[in-house]
Amino acid sequence: GIQVEQSPPDLILQEGANSTLRCNFSDSVNNLQWFHQNPWGQLINLFYIPSGTKQNGRLSATTVATERYSLLYISSSQTTDSGVYFCAVPNMFSGGYNKLIFGAGTRLAVHP
Amino acid sequence: KAGVTQTPRYLIKTRGQQVTLSCSPISGHRSVSWYQQTPGQGLQFLFEYFSETQRNKGNFPGRFSGRQFSNSRSEMNVSTLELGDSALYLCASSPSGEETQYFGPGTRLLVL
């Protein structure tokens, strides 16, 4: 089945720093989602981005579907950005869109 | 619109018991998916329901089952609990399963 790899696994930043998180996937996909899991476990939708670039405040994401990767940019990081960031793609070879395959996540800690 | 809700939020059971978890999707969403999150295996897809029918199933033993009601609310059941079933169980909803999925806050299950 499709493989999803995220890097780096861990990231420590000082408040105000910028960062780039990467998500590689092994097969063609027609959508990709980025999530932020807060310390209480809730997965918060960040982006639904099958291709191209989207921006939402200090966060932006770019997916290059032909090269099978997506990037999540966090600018001017804040302590509230801490948590785990996941990318997920649908397992289209096994019944589809609604069966998300998650990467292992990038654990981000932002210190004041 | 209210978000996805899950009950209970926390649960402690002993080995051999069974447990039922509940998920109420966003109003108008007909697809409900369930995921298990553990430190060792990460986020794994359990099953997905749409219009009271199971459309997709992950690689979990038959002890894990679910159902969906006519109002789209879903329940999952785990019978004969094992220590390894301790996890965060997340449900997600979407209008038809092919769009952005929205996650609930999860149910933390501890099996002693």
Side-chain angles (χ1 to χ4, degrees):
Chain A
I2 192 167
Q3 306 293 319
V4 180
E5 294 183 354
Q6 291 186 243
S7 60
D10 296 280
L11 193 55
I12 300 174
L13 298 175
Q14 285 295 124
E15 207 166 23
N18 303 329
S19 62
T20 301
L21 283 58
R22 187 176 180 103
C23 173
N24 293 332
F25 41 95
S26 59
D27 284 296
S28 299
V29 297
N30 64 1
N31 76 61
L32 182 143
Q33 295 182 53
W34 282 98
F35 297 91
H36 174 218
Q37 188 168 42
N38 66 24
W40 296 272
Q42 173 105 43
L43 277 172
I44 310 297
N45 295 71
L46 297 177
F47 294 101
Y48 177 90
I49 183 166
S51 64
T53 297
K54 290 186 177 180
Q55 178 143 13
N56 185 0
R58 296 181 297 101
L59 273 59
S60 65
T62 295
T63 296
V64 183
T66 53
E67 297 187 24
R68 299 179 184 171
Y69 74 89
S70 183
L71 302 173
L72 177 69
Y73 305 95
I74 304 174
S75 64
S76 304
S77 58
Q78 300 176 358
T79 55
T80 52
D81 295 331
S82 297
V84 185
Y85 290 80
F86 291 99
C87 66
V89 300
N91 188 343
M92 297 170 63
F93 298 100
S94 183
Y97 299 94
N98 39 50
K99 184 176 179 179
L100 291 178
I101 304 299
F102 283 82
T106 291
R107 185 174 299 276
L108 174 64
V110 181
H111 297 303
Chain B
K1 276 186 181 178
V4 179
T5 59
Q6 293 187 243
T7 56
R9 295 292 311 279
Y10 303 91
L11 207 47
I12 300 175
K13 292 285 187 179
T14 57
R15 279 180 299 174
Q17 287 187 310
Q18 75 166 19
V19 67
T20 299
L21 312 181
S22 180
C23 172
S24 292
I26 292 170
S27 178
H29 287 192
R30 297 168 65 192
S31 168
V32 174
S33 300
W34 289 89
Y35 293 82
Q36 180 197 65
Q37 186 177 25
T38 60
Q41 300 298 316
L43 278 151
Q44 293 187 290
F45 173 82
L46 279 158
F47 28 65
E48 186 248 0
Y49 288 86
F50 181 83
S51 292
E52 303 178 67
T53 300
Q54 186 182 86
R55 287 199 301 193
N56 273 296
K57 190 176 191 308
N59 295 325
F60 279 82
R63 300 184 298 106
F64 291 81
S65 63
R67 58 178 175 168
Q68 187 179 34
F69 302 94
S70 59
N71 62 357
S72 294
R73 188 178 70 86
S74 178
E75 289 182 346
M76 67 162 281
N77 184 77
V78 188
S79 62
T80 319
L81 284 165
E82 301 177 358
L83 296 179
D85 297 333
S86 295
L88 177 66
Y89 290 88
L90 293 159
C91 84
S93 77
S94 67
S96 67
E98 298 185 8
E99 316 85 351
T100 301
Q101 294 196 41
Y102 296 90
F103 282 80
T107 294
R108 289 193 184 275
L109 171 65
L110 176 61
V111 182
L112 301 175

